[in-house]
Amino acid sequence: MKRILIIIPIIILTMGFSLFNNQSKEEKFWTWFSKHQETYYTEIENLEIRERIFNELSTELKKVHSDLVFEFSPIQENEIREFTVSAEGIKKLFPIVKNLLEKAPKIDKWKFNAFRQRVPGDDFEIQYGDFKIGYSDIYFRFQDGDYGKIGIELNIRDYNGEGQTQNAIYILLDGLIGEYDITMGLDWIEWVKLDESKIEELNPITSLRTLIDQKKND
């Protein structure tokens, strides 16, 4: 009887280890996340540990693919916190993001997103380093591109051509039309400094959302 009691735990542990090894890398990530989800739900705003727990999460996510990044939303009025996995607009990574999120578990108080989502509303601005920009600072004109896409010329107030400025604008576009639609709906982007005297000839950037949706439905 004593011999049986010793053997049974070993069998259970071995089976558990074997089952974990048989998991895909996506399933292993979600197993890890589920184990730590309470920490991420409650402690993201805790500056004393945020860097450490974000580094831990980044390490686990990079086991799925080294170029994936993540974002968290604040806790919303319905007590939901959102966790978003982004491909940073790299089209070849889109199937990897989709596959990962298709395997996401259902966890109370969490919503999981593939790609950066649209932000409701037409009045949005961000601070990116020392640079501040909003929807009201950007106008555009467009041309039809290939495969039902459009090409856009962005006319940006006080545009300086720096990478920081472009990164900030990409984040604004993610909020306006979503990461997926930026990549799949835009054929090309040109960047120019806004000529204030020609604003009447241009479209406010907020109208790009409607234009992209029309193209999707054509």
Side-chain angles (χ1 to χ4, degrees):
M1 181 64 69
K2 289 182 180 179
R3 189 174 299 168
I4 294 174
L5 289 174
I6 293 171
I7 292 172
I8 289 175
I10 294 174
I11 293 173
I12 292 173
L13 289 173
T14 303
M15 288 177 62
F17 182 73
S18 176
L19 288 172
F20 184 77
N21 277 350
N22 288 334
Q23 288 183 317
S24 67
K25 57 188 177 181
E26 294 83 8
E27 290 168 334
K28 288 179 180 179
F29 172 79
W30 290 117
T31 297
W32 179 90
F33 186 91
S34 297
K35 182 179 178 181
H36 297 87
Q37 58 88 16
E38 185 65 26
T39 297
Y40 288 95
Y41 185 84
T42 60
E43 299 293 345
I44 286 175
E45 287 79 18
N46 184 344
L47 298 182
E48 294 183 359
I49 68 170
R50 184 167 66 185
E51 182 177 359
R52 175 178 63 80
I53 64 176
F54 276 19
N55 286 340
E56 291 172 356
L57 176 54
S58 180
T59 297
E60 295 301 318
L61 186 60
K62 288 182 184 302
K63 293 177 183 178
V64 179
H65 194 283
S66 60
D67 292 328
L68 298 184
V69 298
F70 64 87
E71 295 177 354
F72 288 96
S73 75
I75 295 176
Q76 302 166 13
E77 291 183 2
N78 59 2
E79 299 187 341
I80 296 294
R81 190 189 286 281
E82 297 187 24
F83 173 63
T84 298
V85 178
S86 168
E88 291 279 57
I90 303 172
K91 186 177 179 181
K92 67 180 181 180
L93 300 183
F94 278 26
I96 295 172
V97 174
K98 286 183 176 180
N99 186 44
L100 176 62
L101 271 294
E102 285 171 357
K103 293 179 170 62
K106 292 184 178 180
I107 305 177
D108 287 345
K109 298 183 179 180
W110 281 101
K111 179 184 177 185
F112 301 117
N113 299 319
F115 314 112
R116 294 189 180 104
Q117 303 295 294
R118 294 184 180 189
V119 177
D122 292 338
D123 185 15
F124 184 53
E125 63 180 24
I126 63 168
Q127 183 89 31
Y128 192 91
D130 298 329
F131 183 68
K132 187 175 183 180
I133 190 168
Y135 289 160
S136 61
D137 297 309
I138 309 173
Y139 295 79
F140 78 102
R141 55 169 57 97
F142 71 94
Q143 294 179 358
D144 288 332
D146 295 331
Y147 307 108
K149 297 184 177 183
I150 61 170
I152 60 173
E153 177 195 84
L154 294 178
N155 293 252
I156 305 141
R157 184 169 284 119
D158 300 324
Y159 180 63
N160 56 19
E162 294 181 356
Q164 176 180 257
T165 304
Q166 290 193 358
N167 288 339
I169 293 169
Y170 271 121
I171 293 173
L172 279 178
L173 291 177
D174 281 344
L176 181 68
I177 62 175
E179 178 184 352
Y180 185 86
D181 283 338
I182 287 176
T183 303
M184 305 306 291
L186 298 184
D187 194 13
W188 47 264
I189 300 177
E190 291 186 2
W191 312 74
V192 300
K193 185 175 181 179
L194 175 65
D195 182 343
E196 300 281 353
S197 68
K198 296 183 178 180
I199 285 179
E200 296 299 322
E201 303 172 12
L202 303 169
N203 304 291
I205 194 63
T206 50
S207 66
L208 180 60
R209 185 186 292 134
T210 300
L211 179 61
I212 288 290
D213 289 345
Q214 288 175 343
K215 290 291 183 179
K216 286 163 57 177
N217 295 325
D218 284 348

